């Protein structure tokens, strides 16, 4: 139990890997607003430069892969914290190309940890605080609900396996080299800047985009599968607090608040928000998908007692507003 919080809300030089992606760009906006000094490394494989338009003068952008050691070292130089979000996300993508997932998610995490270790030995100090994004998918086939972090992980997809390996490496670097680390298991994060309209789109943006376009939404399976949907601002609030207070722990921490909503329930809420029915079509279940997921948030709440999550209706309303603005050509990044 190695919880440590060793900084009291100071301004920090932070590197966000994957900072041009959905969660990354939302985090970068929050960190810049909070006065932190922010650098980003992103190869723009699934992220977009446009996501950083509003803040691009305020940040240092390294357009490169974390697998490019020289570029990564330049980006890590001087960082007191690294929030490692760069990854090849999505279960179906990993099933199509497991090696590409391994390279980005496992080799990529190892590269970030190595860069942090080199920075630590170069300065003789504690080295950067490294926060790593893992995923609820590591629980996989384990049917127990809610998911406590001590459950035995049972990954069902190459993506889940890659995230579990990334976690294990991160915690091993804490024990082997004394790096301050924090591993978060994100659940289903949604909100502005999350892309829709491609084969690997996450469920909320796919639903909102289809519904606004008047297209039927596709449910994989019967729609009774449940998820702990987490609005992106709730996630970035925790990440920013973790950076500011240098919160470290030698155990993974669920980053979700213990809600559980089925996909049919999300559609009902969407219909209520839009004031119109949303047509549904059912396709086959997808391999690697899990039936139910909900976090036990005890550990999260102990570490971050001040963070209050945005509720699902408010988060969906903000997401719909962002998609509407984007459709009208006036989205703000
Ligand atoms: P995203 O695809 O929007 O962001 C990932 C970013 O990483 C992209 O900008 C991409 O261009 C970048 N990237 C990929 N490979 C890279 C590499 N080799 N070098 C540098 N940059 C690279 O996805 P997201 O939803 O914002 O996910 C962020 C993190 O959170 C990921 O680690 C993901 O696995 C994890 N996660 C997300 C969710 C969710 O619901 N969105 C759930 C669980 C875990």
């Amino acid at each position: 139990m190695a919880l440590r919080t060793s900084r009291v809300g100071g301004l920090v030089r932070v590197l966000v890997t994957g900072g041009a992606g959905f969660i990354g760009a939302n985090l970068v906006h929050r960190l810049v607003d909070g006065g932190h000094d922010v650098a980003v490394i992103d190869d723009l494989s699934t992220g977009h430069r446009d996501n950083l338009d509003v803040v691009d003068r305020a940040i240092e952008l390294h357009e490169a892969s974390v697998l490019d050691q020289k570029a990564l070292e330049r980006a890590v130089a001087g960082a007191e914290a690294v929030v490692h979000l760069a990854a090849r996300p999505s279960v179906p993508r990993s099933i199509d190309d497991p090696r590409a997932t391994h390279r980005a998610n496992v080799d990529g995490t190892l590269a970030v940890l190595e860069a942090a270790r080199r920075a630590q030995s170069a300065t003789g100090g504690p080295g950067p605080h490294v926060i790593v994004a893992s995923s609820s998918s590591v629980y996989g086939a384990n049917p127990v609900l809610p998911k406590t972090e001590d459950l035995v992980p049972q990954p069902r997809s190459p993506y889940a396996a890659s995230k579990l390996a990334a976690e294990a490496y991160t915690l091993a670097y804490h024990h082997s080299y004394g790096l301050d680390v924090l591993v978060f298991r994100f659940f289903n994060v949604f909100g502005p800047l999350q892309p829709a309209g491609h084969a690997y789109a996450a469920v909320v943006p796919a639903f909102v985009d289809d519904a606004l376009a008047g297209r039927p939404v596709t449910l994989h399976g019967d729609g009774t599968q449940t998820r702990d949907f987490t609005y992106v601002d709730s996630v970035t609030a925790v990440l920013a607090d973790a950076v500011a207070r240098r919160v470290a722990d030698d155990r993974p921490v669920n980053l979700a608040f213990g809600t559980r909503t089925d996909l049919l329930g999300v559609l009902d809420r969407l219909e209520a928000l839009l004031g119109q029915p949303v047509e549904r079509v059912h396709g086959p279940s997808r391999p690697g998908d899990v039936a139910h997921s909900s976090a036990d948030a005890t550990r999260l709440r102990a570490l971050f007692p001040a963070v209050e999550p945005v509720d699902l209706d408010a988060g969906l309303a903000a997401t719909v507003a962002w998609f509407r603005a984007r459709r009208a050509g006036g989205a703000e990044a």
Side-chain angles (χ1 to χ4, degrees):
M1 312 289 130
L3 164 65
R4 291 212 300 119
T5 69
S6 49
R7 191 187 282 120
V8 190
L11 296 182
V12 180
R13 177 165 168 82
V14 194
L15 172 65
V16 182
T17 76
F22 155 54
I23 298 172
N26 276 288
L27 175 64
V28 168
H29 286 115
R30 182 181 284 269
L31 292 172
V32 168
D33 286 349
H36 296 288
D37 178 8
V38 182
V40 166
I41 183 165
D42 198 301
D43 68 358
L44 304 182
S45 51
T46 57
H48 300 279
R49 209 174 227 285
D50 296 356
N51 288 343
L52 297 171
D53 267 0
V54 173
V55 288
D56 67 352
R57 289 218 185 94
I59 63 168
E60 182 185 300
L61 176 60
H62 300 259
E63 200 177 311
S65 170
V66 293
L67 296 168
D68 174 342
Q69 189 181 322
K70 290 226 152 49
L72 179 61
E73 247 161 34
R74 278 194 296 275
V76 167
E80 294 157 88
V82 178
V83 183
H84 177 45
L85 303 172
R88 192 177 151 86
S90 118
V91 167
R93 227 183 216 124
S94 77
I95 289 174
D96 291 348
D97 190 347
R99 276 184 188 280
T101 293
H102 184 95
R103 273 194 299 276
N105 299 5
V106 185
D107 295 341
T109 300
L110 192 56
V112 167
L113 292 165
E114 273 296 272
R117 182 165 79 92
R118 281 193 298 272
Q120 179 194 45
S121 54
T123 59
H129 174 212
V130 182
I131 299 172
V132 170
S134 180
S135 157
S136 61
S137 63
V138 302
Y139 295 115
N142 195 321
V144 177
L145 285 174
K147 306 296 185 194
T148 55
E149 293 89 344
D150 296 333
L151 287 176
V152 176
Q154 297 180 33
R156 300 183 72 173
S157 64
Y159 171 74
S162 75
K163 286 290 168 182
L164 188 58
E167 286 190 0
Y169 269 121
T170 305
L171 299 177
Y173 267 61
H174 164 70
H175 291 293
S176 303
Y177 308 111
L179 277 183
D180 283 342
V181 301
L182 190 58
V183 168
F184 281 119
R185 292 178 176 165
F186 297 172
F187 282 60
N188 285 68
V189 188
F190 72 97
L193 303 184
Q194 192 171 27
H198 63 83
Y200 302 114
V203 60
V204 171
F207 280 2
V208 173
D209 195 45
D210 283 341
L212 286 177
R215 292 185 298 262
V217 304
T218 304
L219 288 155
H220 298 284
D222 63 6
T224 59
Q225 56 274 51
T226 58
R227 297 289 182 264
D228 200 337
F229 292 103
T230 319
Y231 186 58
V232 67
D233 282 5
S234 309
V235 172
T236 60
V238 170
L239 292 172
D241 191 26
V243 165
R245 292 190 294 121
R246 200 174 171 108
V247 179
D249 206 291
D250 64 356
R251 308 160 301 174
V253 179
N254 290 333
L255 208 177
F257 294 86
T259 63
R260 204 173 144 208
T261 312
D262 68 14
L263 301 189
L264 297 171
V266 173
L267 283 176
D268 291 345
R269 285 158 189 256
L270 203 51
E271 285 183 334
L273 260 171
L274 299 176
Q276 64 186 57
V278 176
E279 198 187 329
R280 300 133 196 237
V281 292
H282 290 267
S285 303
R286 294 188 304 188
D289 272 354
V290 299
H292 300 291
S293 184
S294 174
D296 180 302
T298 310
R299 194 172 288 174
L300 178 77
R301 289 193 183 279
L303 292 175
F304 300 94
V307 173
E308 274 309 317
V310 176
D311 76 31
L312 181 57
D313 283 318
L316 278 177
T319 306
V320 167
W322 181 78
F323 271 91
R324 274 205 169 114
R326 206 180 59 147
R327 287 175 67 77
E332 288 179 16

